[in-house]
Amino acid sequence: MLSGIVSSDIVGSTSIHTDDKLLLLKELKNTLFSRLKSRFDTYTRIAKGDMIECYIPNPADTLRVALIIKCFIKSRIAPRFSIISRKKPDAEQRNRYFKIHGVRMAIAVDDMEKIDKRKGVLEGEAIYKTGRMLGEYHTYDKQRIVIKNSMFFLSGNKELQEEFEVIVMLMDALLLKTTSRQCELLTERLFEQSESEIADQLGISQSGVNQGLRMSGWPSIDKAIKLFEKTSKN
């Protein structure tokens, strides 16, 4: 069964205070995961400490869900998260990467053979691919880390792979420059909230919402998502 999988791990998680990390994971479970389930019928779980695995039954929703996860986490970062220990030689560098990227993610559209939400079983080529990709780029036990890309796209469909591998890399570069506030706006817009609804929810002007979305590159992101949704349905 063709499905979407998004696997993510928190960048530089060893540099974050345990309390801060636990608070973020709690917000993910209590806020984000329930919204994703309600809107996209996803199944999302925390695995292996701080890895996020999300199963998306409709492949066309995969890119939108991936960007929601990325933007939601980035929206929660500043200024709350503190470095666990400045005495560690790489703590500041890891924390800086965390605040820039939030998470590293592999996005896949491919076959899934077994989905048992009750038992927490996800098996299939899509999740195998995302797991292997994150494994190649893990930085947990590396003495020195260098992160050039934090979003990767994979598919068993060669044409889809070639078309969206580049688009996802470009969106990754675009999101590097976004602030936590802009990511908060993007999260709500990705959930298809209107600008006026977002303004009412956040207590700001609609013009402020519009400006923040434009500065974050929303028009380009929106077009990329719509192209992905159209292409994935074919």
Side-chain angles (χ1 to χ4, degrees):
M1 180 174 61
L2 197 65
S3 308
I5 289 287
V6 178
S7 296
S8 312
D9 62 359
I10 298 174
V11 174
S13 62
T14 55
S15 74
I16 310 165
H17 271 292
T18 301
D19 289 347
D20 288 338
K21 193 192 309 184
L22 290 175
L23 183 59
L24 175 60
L25 294 177
K26 183 178 179 180
E27 284 192 67
L28 287 170
K29 291 177 181 178
N30 295 343
T31 303
L32 181 62
F33 294 178
S34 60
R35 289 187 71 184
L36 289 174
K37 184 179 187 304
S38 176
R39 175 64 179 80
F40 304 103
D41 193 30
T42 58
Y43 168 69
T44 317
R45 66 186 183 186
I46 303 290
K48 300 177 185 177
D50 58 11
M51 179 177 282
I52 303 158
E53 294 178 333
C54 181
Y55 159 73
I56 305 111
N58 181 5
D61 293 330
T62 305
L63 183 57
R64 185 182 293 272
V65 169
L67 291 171
I68 287 173
I69 294 170
K70 180 85 163 177
C71 289
F72 180 88
I73 291 174
K74 284 200 67 175
S75 76
R76 295 304 195 267
I77 289 174
R80 185 174 71 207
F81 293 88
S82 53
I83 299 174
I84 189 168
S85 174
R86 294 182 184 275
K87 293 180 181 179
K88 291 188 176 182
D90 64 345
E92 290 196 30
Q93 182 194 27
R94 287 178 183 271
N95 198 258
R96 179 167 56 84
Y97 276 129
F98 166 63
K99 290 180 177 179
I100 292 171
H101 298 286
V103 290
R104 181 191 299 101
M105 59 171 45
I107 307 159
V109 172
D110 213 319
D111 290 327
M112 287 294 289
E113 298 165 6
K114 186 175 182 180
I115 301 101
D116 189 330
K117 299 178 184 179
R118 186 174 59 85
K119 293 182 178 179
V121 176
L122 294 174
E123 295 179 0
E125 192 59 32
I127 197 164
Y128 299 155
K129 282 181 175 175
T130 59
R132 287 194 295 267
M133 177 61 77
L134 287 184
E136 287 179 23
Y137 287 92
H138 81 92
T139 58
Y140 182 80
D141 57 356
K142 292 183 179 177
Q143 301 249 337
R144 182 174 177 272
I145 63 170
V146 176
I147 298 177
K148 296 180 180 179
N149 303 98
S150 68
M151 295 177 68
F152 307 91
F153 181 75
L154 306 154
S155 177
N157 182 318
K158 185 179 179 181
E159 291 181 4
L160 192 68
Q161 168 83 36
E162 290 177 350
E163 184 170 4
F164 285 96
E165 183 176 23
V166 176
I167 290 174
V168 167
M169 287 177 68
L170 289 171
M171 283 195 286
D172 186 16
L174 187 63
L175 290 174
L176 279 176
K177 303 174 183 178
T178 53
T179 65
S180 58
R181 184 58 151 178
Q182 288 169 348
C183 284
E184 186 175 24
L185 299 176
L186 284 171
T187 300
E188 298 308 320
R189 200 68 187 88
L190 286 161
F191 271 114
E192 300 185 284
Q193 296 276 82
S194 69
E195 289 184 4
S196 60
E197 288 172 330
I198 297 170
D200 290 341
Q201 180 179 327
L202 300 180
I204 57 178
S205 67
Q206 186 172 340
S207 62
V209 173
N210 182 270
Q211 182 181 19
L213 287 170
R214 281 190 292 106
M215 290 180 66
S216 65
W218 169 250
S220 300
I221 293 170
D222 187 36
K223 285 186 178 181
I225 290 170
K226 287 176 179 174
L227 176 62
F228 184 87
E229 291 170 344
K230 179 182 178 181
T231 306
S232 298
K233 289 176 182 177
N234 294 336

